Amino acid sequence: MRAARVLRALWEDADENRDDEPWCHTRLLELIVRDEYTVVGQSLAAAEAPRRRREHVVPLRYLADLVFNAFKNGHSLSDVASLLDRLLKIVRVTYDEARLIDAMHGKASMPDGWLVESGDPFVRLSGAGIQFRKTPG
């Protein structure tokens, strides 16, 4: 709920006349919600890799736009908190896996037909054939 309150305050302060520009930097979400709350797993390949990348299963730009539109359409703080809880997740992957995901889906979009309310947040990974283990917790 704290993250939703912070984002709402930022959204309220944003210049409403800038519809063509992002209302906040997407990395801001990483500062508001720490990794200990968002890292949910690691790909099988990343377990053996010397370097790993943090992959947001729902891209931050996409998620920031969802939050903006939720506030714009009058959704409550509780609604946005639930949205963040369900979709703000990170899986550690290899750099090659991250490039594959980006090549298939782009850096800021979800697959066509994906539904915010009911779609699998991990669909970008599964669509790229990336298997991962969820971390306990």
Side-chain angles (χ1 to χ4, degrees):
M1 186 68 90
R2 179 181 65 87
R5 279 194 298 271
V6 170
L7 292 171
R8 178 159 196 158
L10 290 169
W11 174 76
E12 288 172 345
D13 288 343
D15 182 355
E16 294 180 13
N17 298 321
R18 298 182 334 167
D19 288 336
D20 59 334
E21 295 179 30
W23 62 281
C24 76
H25 194 288
T26 57
R27 295 292 174 197
L28 183 62
L29 289 169
E30 294 179 332
L31 297 173
I32 296 170
V33 184
R34 297 188 310 255
D35 277 6
E36 64 193 79
Y37 300 111
T38 57
V39 174
V40 297
Q42 178 170 267
S43 76
L44 301 182
E48 304 298 323
R51 293 179 40 217
R52 295 166 197 84
R53 178 166 175 239
R54 299 162 63 255
E55 182 67 31
H56 290 87
V57 298
V58 174
L60 288 178
R61 172 79 275 136
Y62 189 91
L63 189 54
D65 289 344
L66 288 175
V67 168
F68 171 80
N69 287 322
F71 287 138
K72 188 176 180 179
N73 293 319
H75 288 270
S76 69
L77 287 174
S78 179
D79 292 340
V80 172
S82 295
L83 181 83
L84 292 171
D85 186 52
R86 189 170 110 63
L87 302 179
L88 183 56
K89 307 218 178 287
I90 295 171
V91 173
R92 289 191 172 98
V93 299
T94 67
Y95 278 79
D96 287 341
E97 288 172 327
R99 282 190 286 275
L100 177 61
I101 293 167
D102 291 346
M104 290 182 72
H105 303 291
K107 289 186 175 238
S109 63
M110 293 298 285
D112 290 339
W114 184 78
L115 301 174
V116 172
E117 302 82 20
S118 60
D120 176 9
F122 300 96
V123 70
R124 288 167 42 95
L125 278 75
S126 59
I130 297 170
Q131 298 179 344
F132 68 96
R133 283 195 170 85
K134 290 189 176 180
T135 53

